[in-house]
Amino acid sequence: MWRRGLVTAAFAVALALVLFLHSDVPNRIGNLGSLLETFLPWFGLAVPVLLAVALIRRSATALIAVLLPAVVWLNLFGGLLGTKSAAGGDLTVLTHNVNAQNPDPDGTARDLVAAGADIVALEELPESQQRRYAKDLAAAYRYHSVQGTVGLWSKYPLHGVRPVDIRMGWTRAMRAAVSTPHGQVAVYVAHLPSVRVKFDAGFTAGQRDRAAGALGQAIAHEPLQSVVLLGDLNGTMNDRALASVTAQMRSTQGAAGDGFGFSWPASFPMARIDQILVKGVEPKSSWTLPKTGSDHLPVAARLQLP
C-alpha cells in the first residue's frame, strides 16, 4: 500500500509545486508564467482525478501526496468558493465588451438597460455602431461619452472626460469624473490589447503588458480618492503582468463576489478577463449577467462610496 502509486504521488507533488511556485515560472519563454496564471484555477480539476487514481491503486503514499495540491489550491482559491456578497451599497456599475461583431447590438443594449446599473462602460465599440448604442441607451442614461472604441454611460453628470494614453496608437481607454449624490468618483474604462497563444511564439502578450503599465501609471496619478476601473483587461487578477494595476486596486469579485465570476468566452466561461477594480471604494456585491450577443459576459458590482 505504501509502494504502490508512486507515479501518481509524483504527479501530485509536481502539481503542488506548480500551484505553489506559479509566480516563479518565468515569462522569458513565450510568457509561460502569464499563460499559466490565466488558467491557474482550472489546475484544481487535476486533484479529484489524482485522488480517484490513488483510491483505485489503494496507495497510501498517493493519497497523502494528493493532499499537497489540494491544500495549496484551497489556499489560493478557497476564498472564492463561498458567498461574500452583502446588502447595501449606493452605486451600481457594469462593464461589457460588446464585441465589434455582435449580431444583435440593439438586444444587447436592452439587456444592459434592464440590468439597472447607474454607470455602464462598453468596450470594443466599432464606430459604425456607436450612434446605435447611444440611441438605445439614451432614455436610461442622460450622460455619456465615447472615446475611441470605449464608452461610458451614466445617470449622473460627467466631468473631466479625456482619453487615456495606453501606448497603442489609438484610443482604447478613457477617464471621467462622475458626480454622484455621494461625491465624485473617478471612473476609468479600458480595453487592453488582446493576447494570443501561438505555437511558435507562445503567449504573445507584450503589447497588453505595456498598455497595462501605462494604465497603472495613469491610475496612480489620479487626484480623486475614489477610483473605479471598468473594462476588458484581457488578463486575470492572477496574471503578474497586470500588477501595475492590480497591486493598487481591489477586485470586486474577489472581495464581494460569489464564485470565480468567469466572463469569457460567453459560451463556456473559463477566465475572468472582464474586471471591475476599485480603490477608495468598498465593494458590496459582484456578479456576472446572462449572455448577450457578445462573446463576453457583462459583469456588474454594487459599491459603497465613502
Side-chain angles (χ1 to χ4, degrees), residues 10 40 44 54 62 71 81 86 88 92 115 134 137 154 178 184 211-212 215 229 232 234 249 266 306:
L40 196 62
V71 169
L81 299 179
T92 301
L137 297 173
S154 173
V178 182
Q184 280 202 329
L215 178 62
L229 170 60
D232 174 5
N234 270 306
M249 307 189 81

Side-chain angles (χ1 to χ4, degrees), residues 20-288:
F20 186 72
L21 300 174
H22 67 88
S23 60
D24 293 321
V25 177
N27 258 346
R28 291 188 300 273
I29 304 174
N31 283 296
L32 182 60
S34 287
L35 178 61
L36 169 68
E37 288 164 340
T38 298
F39 299 103
L40 196 62
W42 291 94
F43 280 65
L45 293 178
V47 173
V49 174
L50 291 171
L51 177 61
V53 174
L55 291 172
I56 292 172
R57 294 284 293 158
R58 297 182 181 179
S59 168
T61 302
L63 284 172
I64 294 173
V66 169
L67 289 176
L68 295 175
V71 169
V72 177
W73 189 92
L74 287 172
N75 181 64
L76 289 172
F77 303 110
L80 295 173
L81 299 179
T83 299
K84 300 182 293 299
S85 60
D90 43 40
L91 185 70
T92 301
V93 298
L94 182 154
T95 182
H96 189 29
N97 180 324
V98 294
N99 185 4
Q101 307 301 321
N102 191 324
D104 185 19
D106 295 322
T108 296
R110 286 193 298 271
D111 291 341
L112 298 179
V113 170
D118 301 304
I119 295 173
V120 173
L122 302 184
E123 303 86 47
E124 205 170 304
L125 275 172
E127 186 176 356
S128 60
Q129 294 183 0
Q130 289 177 6
R131 290 186 179 180
R132 197 169 181 177
Y133 278 105
K135 180 181 178 181
D136 290 340
L137 297 173
Y141 300 97
R142 181 178 177 182
Y143 308 95
H144 91 278
S145 176
V146 175
Q147 303 287 325
T149 59
V150 296
L152 184 65
W153 277 258
S154 173
K155 294 181 178 179
Y156 308 120
L158 304 178
H159 306 281
V161 179
R162 58 175 172 83
V164 175
D165 182 11
I166 56 173
R167 303 172 187 169
M168 292 188 61
W170 71 96
T171 302
R172 288 193 11 171
M174 63 176 290
R175 177 265 186 197
V178 182
S179 296
T180 77
H182 304 276
Q184 280 202 329
V185 182
V187 178
Y188 285 77
V189 183
H191 183 195
L192 297 189
S194 300
V195 297
R196 297 287 187 270
V197 180
K198 298 181 180 180
F199 180 77
D200 58 342
F203 192 53
T204 58
Q207 190 179 33
R208 182 210 59 180
D209 299 350
R210 291 188 294 272
L215 178 62
Q217 289 180 11
I219 292 173
H221 291 93
E222 170 58 48
L224 293 180
Q225 292 186 344
S226 299
V227 185
V228 178
L229 170 60
L230 306 168
D232 174 5
L233 302 189
N234 270 306
T236 69
M237 292 297 291
N238 299 111
D239 191 337
R240 74 194 73 173
L242 302 185
S244 60
V245 175
T246 57
Q248 58 178 316
M249 307 189 81
R250 300 172 67 195
S251 163
T252 59
Q253 186 66 26
D258 300 336
F260 290 93
F262 294 147
S263 63
W264 177 88
S267 56
F268 186 82
M270 296 183 64
R272 185 180 177 89
I273 62 175
D274 301 277
Q275 306 288 356
I276 300 176
L277 307 182
V278 297
K279 179 167 65 172
V281 175
E282 185 64 28
K284 288 296 184 179
S285 56
S286 187
W287 63 96
T288 58

